[in-house]
Amino acid sequence: MNKVKHSILIVIFIVLVLNGFLFQTGFSAGRTVLNSAYYRTMINETELASFIHAVVQEHIFREVSTELPDNLALIITGSITMVFDQEWLEEQVVLVTDDYIDYIKGRKDTPRAVLDLRQKKEELRKGIENALDLIPGQVISLVGFDSLDLEELAAELVAGLPLPDEVEVQQLLEQQNVSDEFLLLLQNLRQYRTFYTYLPFLLYFIFFYIVYRIAGLPGALKWFGGAALISGVIFSIFLQGIRTYYLKLLVEELAFSGLPEPEMLLASLRYVIDDIAAISLYFALAGVSAMLLGGLGAWLGLFRRKKTA
């Protein structure tokens, strides 16, 4: 093999390593964060839903306590967390993620997930009414509700809560000042989805043919296998670096900001990274297999090797 062809193979090898990063990113995303079924599995195998539920519960109690005495605030908060329970929360998480994934994949023009709270508000009214029935009448009178029966009191308390009949998720994100950055990320994922999903396969096909013409099938398998091995190992090491160092810094920042149970969020993020890292190791293992197949085929003469100048 002359120097020109060898130089071409080295350049292609470097491009293949880089293409491997793009391939692993797109393939991993398609199997994890851009896969609706993945969120159902993650919720079942982690404590993500209970973490979100705890955060919501603490936020509700803090908000309600500013308007009502602690005893009524505890009743309302308890009723809310029982009605809007963890199972309901899991369903809403899946509903919202499905909506945004459909947007990223081009099935919808805009994300438009809406949470219908009307039935839950009626359940909440009944729950508060039942809880109030257990409180002595004089305690209720102390907070100025003695002229109302329990049904009216429960209805009034629910009406005073910031619970609309419907909640638009996008509007909720806007209220939390995360809409612009989040939408930009979604738009980029949507815009470049074809790029990171299909381009790596096209490049692999083109470069495999070029290497095959230069080095024959055994050589092509060995070059491609080596590139996959290096790319998979580097990508996995990069992910482990994020898992070990960056996530710890993120959790420390969240804990400093007052977010409850940041370790639960850390566990969920690690769950995703571990799954992606496993895919990278399989990718590296596929590279080893290709190298062994190419070497074995050349040794046994199973493949016709293309003559080179």
Side-chain angles (χ1 to χ4, degrees):
M1 183 182 302
N2 60 37
K3 292 183 179 180
V4 174
K5 291 182 178 180
H6 188 72
S7 297
I8 292 174
L9 289 176
I10 292 176
V11 172
I12 291 177
F13 181 83
I14 295 173
V15 174
L16 288 175
V17 172
L18 299 176
N19 189 58
F21 299 151
L22 182 60
F23 172 82
Q24 291 173 85
T25 300
F27 186 83
S28 300
R31 295 296 183 275
T32 56
V33 294
L34 297 183
N35 187 338
S36 299
Y38 181 77
Y39 289 96
R40 294 176 174 85
T41 302
M42 183 172 68
I43 288 173
N44 291 331
E45 296 184 2
T46 68
E47 298 184 15
L48 177 61
S50 61
F51 161 74
I52 298 176
H53 196 251
V55 172
V56 172
Q57 182 175 357
E58 180 170 320
H59 175 75
I60 290 172
F61 179 74
R62 186 168 58 249
E63 292 294 322
V64 174
S65 296
T66 61
E67 303 292 335
L68 297 171
D70 287 346
N71 50 4
L72 282 180
L74 284 172
I75 291 174
I76 292 176
T77 302
S79 299
I80 290 175
T81 53
M82 288 181 63
V83 171
F84 298 92
D85 56 9
Q86 187 171 318
E87 181 180 357
W88 179 86
L89 184 60
E90 291 176 3
E91 294 174 356
Q92 306 315 303
V93 170
V94 172
L95 182 150
V96 173
T97 53
D98 284 353
D99 179 73
Y100 280 103
I101 289 174
D102 286 344
Y103 168 73
I104 292 172
K105 293 184 176 181
R107 299 168 186 166
K108 294 182 177 179
D109 295 331
T110 57
R112 48 179 179 267
V114 176
L115 308 183
D116 191 339
L117 305 182
R118 283 170 291 192
Q119 180 179 350
K120 286 295 180 180
K121 287 176 66 176
E122 178 59 23
E123 293 179 19
L124 178 60
R125 185 195 64 75
K126 293 180 180 178
I128 293 177
E129 181 181 344
N130 293 334
L132 291 173
D133 192 37
L134 302 177
I135 300 177
Q138 59 269 30
V139 175
I140 297 178
S141 299
L142 289 176
V143 293
F145 292 110
D146 53 321
S147 62
L148 300 175
D149 62 27
L150 295 184
E151 184 176 352
E152 292 175 338
L153 175 55
E156 183 173 315
L157 290 173
V158 172
L161 295 175
L163 288 175
D165 291 339
E166 293 182 342
V167 175
E168 294 185 11
V169 175
Q170 193 57 38
Q171 187 178 44
L172 185 63
L173 293 175
E174 292 173 358
Q175 294 174 355
Q176 299 298 321
N177 297 321
V178 297
S179 178
D180 292 341
E181 296 81 359
F182 185 63
L183 267 182
L184 179 61
L185 173 62
L186 294 180
Q187 289 169 358
N188 288 333
L189 289 173
R190 176 187 174 98
Q191 181 177 354
Y192 297 108
R193 180 172 176 268
T194 301
F195 174 77
Y196 60 75
T197 302
Y198 301 109
L199 180 62
F201 290 97
L202 178 62
L203 292 178
Y204 275 138
F205 177 80
I206 294 173
F207 286 122
F208 187 87
Y209 179 76
I210 295 174
V211 176
Y212 166 75
R213 297 292 296 176
I214 295 175
L217 186 55
L221 290 173
K222 288 188 285 187
W223 281 96
F224 267 71
L229 172 61
I230 293 176
S231 183
V233 170
I234 293 176
F235 199 76
S236 180
I237 292 174
F238 171 74
L239 291 173
Q240 291 304 319
I242 293 178
R243 187 185 191 279
T244 303
Y245 300 105
Y246 175 74
L247 290 187
K248 286 185 177 180
L249 295 176
L250 175 62
V251 168
E252 289 176 1
E253 181 179 346
L254 293 174
F256 181 77
S257 66
L259 183 70
E261 302 184 59
E263 289 296 327
M264 294 300 175
L265 179 60
L266 175 63
S268 299
L269 294 174
R270 282 178 172 171
Y271 179 89
V272 177
I273 290 178
D274 288 345
D275 282 351
I276 297 176
I279 293 174
S280 296
L281 292 179
Y282 283 122
F283 184 70
L285 182 61
V288 173
S289 301
M291 292 174 65
L292 292 175
L293 181 61
L296 182 63
W299 182 60
L300 296 177
L302 298 178
F303 304 120
R304 179 179 295 177
R305 187 178 181 85
K306 184 176 177 65
K307 295 183 178 180
T308 57

